[in-house]
């Protein structure tokens, strides 16, 4: 019996030693059945709060879609991270926490992403709306200008004053491109209408954005569009008994009597696509700019105040865009001074669209330099 106890004790020590060895050195532990496999860690860094009802909310809906479709993925988020030095600090922390993919979801994160990615070459960084890449950094965005054009048709058919307001965030090409596309949509159905622009220089400031909407309403606008992350401009329109065009997500819940429709993002399928590519070892750095046909951008359901004739005009234009035979920035297009910028039959190149710094004919406003 004495020898049997020693034998059992030695066996236990041997098993313990094997377990300790298998747990060291970062090796992945797998159960014989394949269960309890370590999940792939994916992080998201947001410029605003998830509850903004706009940009960040739309990205977080995409994150939740990713988790539903890929149960073997574990996600984490950091909200309300300012663009700049804070972003670099947070990105570094996320890299140190074992995340294999980091989605940075604001334009101002571009340089911090590039800086941090150099130090962590084994992590995939995806930057939304930027233009700088690296071997482990890709960029992604959608052709929101296509959805903007369609919402412009709705606004152009709705306005009675022929003055439509646009609450604009920052004077960067993305925002200028959206204003131009929206205005082209407006004037495709209502050549007499003008789009009046007010800048807030904010992405997320509910009070300032609502106040800008009020300013436009006081100036005679009866439809308010926006490029911000809060429904403030839509709420201002509802309080005045006017109409609005939301952005990022369906804003009708926040202003049901005002919102005609919204230009919306649908990030979920793209997030799944990227994560699957990383898992499969097929991911490579690229600059993705997805069209409406990829379903990354689209329109929210119409409000009850939008008539069937307007819906038909939108659908006709949408089908042209989806076919790929025509796009929004197809000439002839003139600027505010009446100078032809895109000749008839020609389509503006992606490179020119990505650096747009002038307004089309029909915009009432200037671009701060």
């Amino acid at each position: 019996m004495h020898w049997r106890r020693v034998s059992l004790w030695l066996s236990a020590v041997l098993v313990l030693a094997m377990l300790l060895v298998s747990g060291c050195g970062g090796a992945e532990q797998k159960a014989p059945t394949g269960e309890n496999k370590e999940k792939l860690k994916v992080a998201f860094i947001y410029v605003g709060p998830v509850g903004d009802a706009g940009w960040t909310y739309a990205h977080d809906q995409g994150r939740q879609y990713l988790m539903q479709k890929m149960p073997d993925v574990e996600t984490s988020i950091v909200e309300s991270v300012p663009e700049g030095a804070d972003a670099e600090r947070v990105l570094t922390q996320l890299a140190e926490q074992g995340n294999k993919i980091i989605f940075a979801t604001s334009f101002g994160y571009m340089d911090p992403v590039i800086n941090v990615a150099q130090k962590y070459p084994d992590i995939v960084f995806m930057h939304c709306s930027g233009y700088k890449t690296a071997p482990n950094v890709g960029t992604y965005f959608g052709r929101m200008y296509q959805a903007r054009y369609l919402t412009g048709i709705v606004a152009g058919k709705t306005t009675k004053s022929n003055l439509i307001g646009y609450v604009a965030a920052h004077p960067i090409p993305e925002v200028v491109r959206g204003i131009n596309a929206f205005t082209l949509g407006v004037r495709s159905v209502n050549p007499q209408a003008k789009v009046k622009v007010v800048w807030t220089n904010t992405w997320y400031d509910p009070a300032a954005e609502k106040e800008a909407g009020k300013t436009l309403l006081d100036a005679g606008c009866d439809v308010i569009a926006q490029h911000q992350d809060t429904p403030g401009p839509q709420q201002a329109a509802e309080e005045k008994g006017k109409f609005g065009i939301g952005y990022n997500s369906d804003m009708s819940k926040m202003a049901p009597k005002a919102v005609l429709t919204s230009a919306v993002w649908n990030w979920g399928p793209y997030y799944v696509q990227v994560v699957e590519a990383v898992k499969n070892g097929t991911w490579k750095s690229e600059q993705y700019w997805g069209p409406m046909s990829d379903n990354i951008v689209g329109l929210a359901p119409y409000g009850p105040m939008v008539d069937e004739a307007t819906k038909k005009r939108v659908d006709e234009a949408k089908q042209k865009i989806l076919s790929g035979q025509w796009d929004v920035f197809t000439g002839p297009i003139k600027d505010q001074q009446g100078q032809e910028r895109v000749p008839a039959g020609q389509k503006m190149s992606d490179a020119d669209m990505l650096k747009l710094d002038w307004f089309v004919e029909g915009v009432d406003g200037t671009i701060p330099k």
Side-chain angles (χ1 to χ4, degrees):
M1 292 297 292
H2 175 71
W3 170 247
R4 179 176 171 81
R5 285 199 299 273
V6 171
S7 177
L8 287 169
W9 179 79
L10 287 171
S11 297
V13 169
L14 182 61
V15 169
L16 180 61
M18 290 173 66
L19 287 171
L20 287 170
V21 169
S22 69
C24 296
E28 182 181 347
Q29 295 182 46
K30 296 181 181 178
T33 59
E35 295 176 359
N36 301 323
K37 183 180 177 182
E38 187 177 339
K39 292 189 175 186
L40 181 72
K41 296 182 72 174
V42 180
F44 293 77
I45 172 173
Y46 297 147
V47 74
V50 168
D52 68 359
W55 176 258
T56 295
Y57 173 80
H59 278 286
D60 203 60
Q61 291 293 296
R63 178 188 67 85
Q64 292 181 40
Y65 179 92
L66 168 66
M67 291 178 67
Q68 290 168 4
K69 295 294 182 181
M70 301 185 72
D72 57 342
V73 168
E74 174 186 319
T75 68
S76 60
I77 65 171
V78 185
E79 305 174 70
S80 302
V81 179
E83 298 169 328
D86 275 356
E88 194 159 330
R89 175 181 56 79
V90 171
L91 287 164
T92 301
Q93 288 176 347
L94 292 172
E96 290 288 340
Q97 289 166 5
N99 290 291
K100 299 302 182 186
I101 310 168
I102 299 175
F103 290 96
T105 64
S106 191
F107 180 80
Y109 295 155
M110 181 165 60
D111 288 334
V113 164
I114 294 296
N115 293 341
V116 175
Q118 289 177 343
K119 302 170 190 172
Y120 299 93
D122 295 331
I123 297 174
V124 169
F125 291 80
M126 293 296 300
H127 178 230
C128 184
S129 77
Y131 55 83
K132 294 183 180 179
T133 61
N136 61 327
V137 179
T139 65
Y140 66 104
F141 206 46
R143 294 180 185 268
M144 179 53 76
Y145 67 86
Q146 295 176 337
R148 293 273 191 199
Y149 179 88
L150 299 180
T151 63
I153 293 175
V154 178
K157 293 282 285 181
T158 302
T159 182
K160 297 293 189 291
S161 66
N162 282 344
L163 192 57
I164 297 166
Y166 202 111
V167 184
H170 296 274
I172 60 175
E174 173 197 341
V175 179
V176 173
R177 189 168 60 245
I179 294 167
N180 283 345
F182 178 78
T183 304
L184 290 171
V186 167
R187 288 169 69 89
S188 72
V189 295
N190 187 347
Q192 305 306 313
K194 288 189 176 296
V195 176
K196 187 174 180 62
V197 176
V198 169
W199 299 96
T200 63
N201 292 306
T202 62
W203 291 120
Y204 180 82
D205 188 328
E209 290 151 21
K210 186 174 183 180
E211 199 58 39
K214 289 180 180 178
T215 298
L216 289 163
L217 291 159
D218 290 343
C221 298
D222 60 356
V223 181
I224 302 295
Q226 66 177 84
H227 192 134
Q228 262 100 11
D229 302 350
T230 75
Q234 305 305 299
Q235 292 165 334
E238 181 165 270
E239 288 173 10
K240 290 277 190 176
K242 305 301 181 184
F243 297 109
I245 300 288
Y247 175 50
N248 289 311
S249 65
D250 184 354
M251 289 187 165
S252 61
K253 292 176 184 175
M254 277 63 72
K257 295 178 181 176
V259 176
L260 300 162
T261 185
S262 302
V264 299
W265 293 101
N266 180 30
W267 298 109
Y270 181 74
Y271 284 149
V272 169
Q273 181 183 323
V274 171
V275 174
E276 284 183 338
V278 172
K279 281 188 65 181
N280 299 335
T282 58
W283 181 89
K284 63 181 187 300
S285 173
E286 65 175 2
Q287 293 186 289
Y288 171 78
W289 198 14
M292 185 177 285
S293 55
D294 279 6
N295 197 34
I296 195 167
V297 301
L299 297 189
Y302 296 107
M305 67 291 280
V306 180
D307 61 35
E308 291 303 317
T310 299
K311 294 177 186 176
K312 184 179 178 184
R313 287 297 294 267
V314 171
D315 193 57
E316 288 169 355
K318 181 180 178 181
Q319 295 310 314
K320 283 171 62 180
I321 293 170
L322 290 175
S323 73
Q325 300 300 309
W326 179 87
D327 202 11
V328 172
F329 290 101
T330 300
I333 297 175
K334 295 179 180 179
D335 63 19
Q336 286 173 307
Q337 286 72 44
Q339 178 185 342
E340 187 175 77
R341 293 292 193 120
V342 185
Q346 287 191 22
K347 188 169 78 170
M348 188 182 287
S349 69
D350 282 1
D352 285 340
M353 279 192 277
L354 289 167
K355 63 183 181 184
L356 255 177
D357 61 356
W358 51 270
F359 278 146
V360 298
E361 193 172 47
V363 178
D364 177 3
T366 58
I367 302 171
K369 299 299 183 185

